[in-house]
Amino acid sequence: MNEAEKLYEMLKKVQEPKGYFFNKDKERVFDLIDALLINKNRYGYMCCPCRLASGDKEKDRDIICPCVYRVADVEEFGSCYCNLYVSSDWNEGKIPERYIPERRPADKYL
Amino acid sequence: MSVLNLLDKIIMIRKRGDKIMTNKTIKIYTLSTCSHCKAAKKFLNDLSVQYDCVDVDLLDAEDKATALDEVRKYNPKLTFPTILCGDKVIIGFQDREIKEALGL
């Protein structure tokens, strides 16, 4: 198993029992897992690939994957901001796929 | 021009391997790691439209600050992708809105 596959298996084991499933689109999932590993290498922590990291771990704490906004996004839209983690209903097509608006307050980027 | 005629024209242009001609200037601010940004770029590539792209996360500190000032003007939430399509601003990858902005 390569690093991405190991991370996938580890996260799956931890997150699925909590009700957070990887998107059924495995290509997209591995693209995002590769991006998490790029960010880990770049910043020293696995910052959300779909948000701009500041490089300061304390400032980015809310967007270290899984981000703090995942709970509310999966509850409201069936998917996290990146479409990495989704609910079982989302994977089964019971919830329409839509653009997930950014829940993180803008002032966090300043 | 009817929609069907327009589609025929687009297909004809694509068959010739040319870029779709649009008078809209398209600029897209992205993150190199972002799945929605990649999807937006693929969508524009598949439409064969020309666009300028800036991967903001790959810029050095000075260029990043300049790029973020630009993005902030159009999208104060600083989210990606931020797509400028003529005078329209599209936030996030929303294919229908891109097509509408391009008149396709």
Side-chain angles (χ1 to χ4, degrees):
Chain A
M1 266 201 283
N2 65 27
E3 199 180 355
E5 287 164 340
K6 279 183 198 162
L7 182 59
Y8 174 89
E9 291 301 333
M10 188 270 280
L11 292 172
K12 192 177 160 78
K13 205 169 148 186
V14 174
Q15 300 299 331
E16 278 194 357
K18 296 181 190 172
Y20 298 107
F21 299 86
F22 280 131
N23 189 327
K24 62 182 180 299
D25 181 346
K26 221 165 175 182
E27 192 183 331
R28 190 181 180 108
V29 168
F30 272 95
D31 206 35
L32 283 162
I33 285 185
D34 286 340
L36 283 173
L37 291 170
I38 289 170
N39 280 351
K40 186 182 174 192
N41 190 44
R42 195 185 281 170
Y43 306 113
Y45 49 94
M46 285 195 271
C47 196
C48 173
C50 303
R51 294 174 165 115
L52 184 65
S54 70
D56 180 329
K57 192 175 180 181
E58 275 313 303
K59 283 186 186 167
D60 290 342
R61 196 159 282 285
D62 61 321
I63 52 168
I64 294 175
C65 188
C67 70
V68 301
Y69 310 102
R70 179 183 70 163
V71 175
D73 282 339
V74 172
E75 195 177 311
E76 185 173 352
F77 303 111
S79 168
C80 76
Y81 183 63
C82 283
N83 299 142
L84 176 63
Y85 290 110
V86 300
S87 66
S88 53
D89 279 354
W90 195 93
N91 261 346
E92 287 164 21
K94 292 178 186 165
I95 299 174
E97 291 184 28
R98 52 154 292 178
Y99 164 68
I100 316 290
E102 173 62 295
R103 198 179 287 274
R104 190 186 199 213
D107 59 8
K108 291 261 191 190
Y109 285 105
L110 302 174
Chain B
M1 186 186 286
S2 75
V3 173
L4 281 177
N5 284 341
L6 183 63
L7 281 174
D8 279 346
K9 197 176 166 194
I10 291 167
I11 290 163
M12 216 167 64
I13 293 168
R14 278 196 189 162
K15 278 183 182 160
R16 289 210 313 263
D18 295 341
K19 297 279 180 193
I20 288 179
M21 295 306 288
T22 172
N23 54 3
K24 308 268 172 67
T25 304
I26 305 170
K27 187 162 189 179
I28 171 166
Y29 294 92
T30 54
L31 301 177
S32 65
T33 51
C34 164
S35 56
H36 305 298
C37 300
K38 286 176 193 169
K41 283 190 259 188
K42 183 178 182 305
F43 183 76
L44 291 172
N45 290 339
D46 287 348
L47 284 177
S48 295
V49 292
Q50 283 185 314
Y51 60 93
D52 285 331
C53 175
V54 182
D55 275 327
V56 176
D57 59 320
L58 300 181
L59 299 174
D60 62 31
E62 194 179 327
D63 288 344
K64 191 185 283 182
T66 308
L68 289 178
D69 282 343
E70 286 169 28
V71 176
R72 201 175 280 114
K73 276 193 284 187
Y74 304 105
N75 173 13
K77 290 202 86 171
L78 282 179
T79 56
F80 299 92
T82 294
I83 303 165
L84 311 181
C85 194
D87 57 359
K88 292 234 169 73
V89 181
I90 301 158
I91 293 166
F93 172 46
Q94 306 200 65
D95 51 357
R96 198 178 301 170
E97 289 195 17
I98 296 174
K99 277 192 169 180
E100 268 177 30
L102 289 172
L104 297 176

